[in-house]
Every structure is written in C-alpha cells, then in structure tokens.
Amino acid sequence: MDRIPILRMGDCLLITIQVDLDDRIALQLQDDLANKIADTHARGVLIDISALEVVDSFIGRTLATIAAMARILAAQTVLVGMQPAVAITLVELGVSLTGIHTALDVEKGMAFLRRTIPDRGTTVPDAHAKE
Amino acid sequence: MDRIPILRMGDCLLITIQVDLDDRIALQLQDDLANKIADTHARGVLIDISALEVVDSFIGRTLATIAAMARILAAQTVLVGMQPAVAITLVELGVSLTGIHTALDVEKGMAFLRRTIPDRGTTVPDAHAKE
C-alpha cells in the first residue's frame, strides 16, 4: 500500500487506518492530509484507529503532529476507536496527544465535530444514530 | 491485517478498502458485513474502493455477492471511487455488478443513499458539499 486514502465528507475529512502504520506511511499521511485540508478547506478531521493494535512513540508523535498541523490549518481533529491497549501504551510512552480530541466511535466523533465546528452555512455529516 | 473495519455512520455502514483484497479478506468482509447489517439495522452500505488498483473476477463476484446479500437484508449498496482501469477490467472479465449502484466519490454516494433510503425517521449522514 502506498498511502492511506483520505475521504471527504462535507466539511470533514475521514481517515480510516487499517494497517499498522510504518514510518513512511505515517509521514505520507501527514503530507497528504495537509494538502487535502488546504485543497478542500475542510474544518474537521476524523481519524479512525480502531484497527490499530500496535503503536510506538513515533506513531503517537505523528498523530499529535497531524492534529497540531490541522489546527493551524483551522481544522479540528478527532481520534476515534482507540483500543484500550493502545491508550495504555501511549500513556506509558508519555505521548500526551495534546490538542487531539478523542471519541469512542465514528458517530460520536462526527457528533463532536458537528457541535464544535462554527457554522459557516456549510454542512458537517450528520452522524446521529437513530436512538 | 485480519479484516476490514466497518464503520457505522447513522443508518449507513462505511467500508474503505485500502489493500488489494485477497480471497480470505474478501470472504471475511462478506461475513462481517452481513452480521453488521443484522446487528445495526443499517439501510445503506457504502464501499469505497478508490485505493483498489487490481481486481480479479473473484473479487468482482464477491462485491456483487455482498451487494446481493445486503439487498436481501434490506440495505442498499453503493460502490464509490472505482478507478477507470478497474472498471475496464471488470467489464472485460464479464462481471456486471448487478444491483450495485456506483458513484464517483463518497459524497455523491452518500447523497444517493440519502435520496433512496426510505425515511423511517432515522438519519443518513448528510454529505452535501458546501458548494
């Protein structure tokens, strides 16, 4: 796999990480995302890492860098679906993920983005569950 | 990678295929999706294959089977982001993808699902672009 696809949904970008990130793919994602935010004027970035089972300090820092970069480009980042073991590892590694909001699943993450992104007459995907 | 994650967004399930599907993963996806539709009562399935560069007749048939299965479970399937080369290959292989709607990107696919899924007072993600 060359790169992780970035899907545009309304004002948000959705990234699903399905493979254990190696350094090259992580850096590629960082570049791609910065360009995509600039191109699409996205206001929110949702990163699903539910399939990620292993994380090291480099990946943790890369996620933090991605969020910081998105913030400078005026987009809010939400990290969803983190497995408990990954959370434990990140804390033990001392990676604090400053500036990244987290949510348990994609729906909760989207709901968070809809609440926090200022209304500019644009649309953030409505991901309210039916219940 | 063991399996492809299936994300729930409102009444829809979103699948991003990022790796070239081998037979085992394709069959696993088929099983997982059937169970997920039954569990979540999803009405729409959106499969993004923009990262898929190679396709063979087995994968083509598996996609058709997935759509047929979803239809029986009362969910509509949309395949988005197919690369031109993949479309050419599928036609040359004689895989007709009967019953699968296609769209150029995720936003158009979501818009299609929002139009076609009967309103039950539930929500399909609103993926209208701002323009």
Side-chain angles (χ1 to χ4, degrees):
Chain A
M1 191 179 62
D2 281 347
R3 57 183 63 198
I4 293 171
I6 300 172
L7 306 182
R8 182 180 178 187
M9 297 189 67
D11 246 10
C12 291
L13 299 177
L14 177 65
I15 299 166
T16 315
I17 295 178
Q18 298 179 3
V19 291
D20 289 329
L21 286 173
D22 64 31
D23 298 2
R24 191 189 56 77
I25 293 182
L27 290 175
Q28 179 75 53
L29 175 62
Q30 199 173 311
D31 284 358
D32 288 351
L33 183 61
N35 290 324
K36 192 90 173 188
I37 292 173
D39 289 349
T40 61
H41 298 196
R43 305 298 306 279
V45 177
L46 195 143
I47 305 178
D48 174 78
I49 56 166
S50 54
L52 202 67
E53 291 176 351
V54 179
V55 76
D56 60 19
S57 62
F58 177 80
I59 300 301
R61 279 202 310 277
T62 304
L63 290 172
T65 307
I66 285 175
M69 192 193 67
R71 196 166 52 245
I72 291 175
L73 292 167
Q76 178 92 49
T77 302
V78 183
L79 204 62
V80 307
M82 188 185 293
Q83 295 191 14
V86 170
I88 291 168
T89 307
L90 286 176
V91 170
E92 284 177 353
L93 289 171
V95 178
S96 62
L97 295 183
T98 317
I100 304 193
H101 292 268
T102 52
L104 282 182
D105 58 32
V106 174
E107 293 200 296
K108 293 193 175 68
M110 278 291 177
F112 171 80
L113 287 178
R114 287 197 312 122
R115 280 198 310 275
T116 53
I117 293 179
D119 188 11
R120 297 183 309 168
T122 59
T123 314
V124 176
D126 180 352
H128 268 181
K130 64 186 173 185
E131 50 278 349
Chain B
M1 192 179 62
D2 281 347
R3 56 183 63 198
I4 294 172
I6 300 172
L7 306 181
R8 182 179 179 185
M9 297 189 66
D11 246 9
C12 291
L13 299 177
L14 176 65
I15 300 166
T16 315
I17 295 178
Q18 297 180 3
V19 292
D20 289 329
L21 286 173
D22 64 29
D23 299 1
R24 190 188 57 77
I25 292 181
L27 290 175
Q28 179 77 53
L29 175 62
Q30 198 174 312
D31 283 359
D32 288 351
L33 182 60
N35 289 325
K36 193 90 172 187
I37 293 174
D39 287 350
T40 62
H41 298 197
R43 304 298 305 277
V45 177
L46 195 143
I47 306 179
D48 175 78
I49 57 166
S50 55
L52 202 66
E53 291 175 351
V54 179
V55 75
D56 60 17
S57 61
F58 177 79
I59 300 301
R61 279 201 309 276
T62 304
L63 290 174
T65 307
I66 285 174
M69 190 193 67
R71 199 165 51 244
I72 291 175
L73 292 168
Q76 179 93 49
T77 303
V78 184
L79 204 62
V80 307
M82 188 185 295
Q83 295 191 15
V86 169
I88 291 169
T89 307
L90 285 177
V91 170
E92 284 176 353
L93 289 171
V95 178
S96 61
L97 295 183
T98 317
I100 305 194
H101 292 269
T102 52
L104 283 181
D105 58 30
V106 174
E107 293 200 298
K108 293 192 176 66
M110 277 292 180
F112 171 81
L113 287 178
R114 287 197 311 121
R115 282 198 309 276
T116 53
I117 293 179
D119 187 10
R120 297 183 310 171
T122 59
T123 315
V124 176
D126 180 352
H128 268 183
K130 66 185 173 187
E131 51 275 353

